[in-house]
Amino acid sequence: MPADGTGAEIRLRPPRNTLNERAVAWWRVQWLLMTLVPVVPLAVLGALIEPARFWLLLSAAVIAAAGVASALLLPLWWFRTHRWEVTEDAVYVRTGFFWQEWRIAPMSRIQTVDTVRGPLEQLYRLATVTVTTASSRGAVRIEGLDHEVAAELAERLTRITRNTPGDAT
């Protein structure tokens, strides 16, 4: 019998679904906001402290350039590598490129399903679905979903898990 105790076979395979295309812009804005955190104080200090102006402004410029380059490239890369799928047996999620993480949450192990929409996600009409299981690795998160798709997914997962017997082990 498979490890999930349901009699269904669950195997590692590439999930079929991509995230919403708006996730790229959402990730870019997040990255740029994180870049502003060190750049703004460095620029302000550079404007105020004459003896250190060159080094402070140079540091701000280098961090800003790295942040902008990362904001342009990384979200595209993430979009190409993040995948998800929900079947009657499990939730499948794959993230990462160099260090790929494949997570499978059997329906019999799901404890809660949450949908979260932060301020930026609301702006981009996106949501994150968090599937909490009894795993020590923590919850399975599917970020960058269209908010309507996320709501339908949460409803579907709730319906499937309600009709799935718990783990017998």
Side-chain angles (χ1 to χ4, degrees), residues 88-157:
E88 295 297 315
D89 301 316
V91 177
Y92 298 82
V93 177
R94 184 189 74 191
T95 59
F97 183 77
F98 290 117
W99 287 273
Q100 284 190 355
E101 181 177 27
W102 295 54
R103 303 276 309 271
I104 300 174
M107 292 297 173
S108 63
R109 294 290 184 103
I110 293 176
Q111 295 175 338
T112 62
V113 178
D114 301 304
T115 304
V116 177
R117 296 182 68 207
L120 282 177
E121 285 177 301
Q122 291 178 45
L123 182 67
Y124 286 96
R125 299 183 328 272
L126 298 171
T128 297
V129 173
T130 303
V131 178
T132 306
T133 66
S135 169
S136 62
R137 294 278 301 158
V140 173
R141 293 171 49 92
I142 307 171
E143 297 179 331
L145 295 176
D146 178 85
H147 68 97
E148 291 176 357
V149 170
E152 292 168 7
L153 178 60
E155 184 179 314
R156 179 176 176 216
L157 285 170

Side-chain angles (χ1 to χ4, degrees), residues 107-108 110 154-166:
M107 292 297 173
S108 63
I110 293 176
E155 184 179 314
R156 179 176 176 216
L157 285 170
T158 302
R159 187 177 55 253
I160 292 171
T161 56
R162 181 177 42 232
N163 297 327
T164 302

Side-chain angles (χ1 to χ4, degrees), residues 69-82:
S70 296
L72 291 174
L73 300 174
L74 291 177
L76 290 173
W77 194 356
W78 297 335
F79 182 76
R80 289 186 182 114
T81 59
H82 284 64

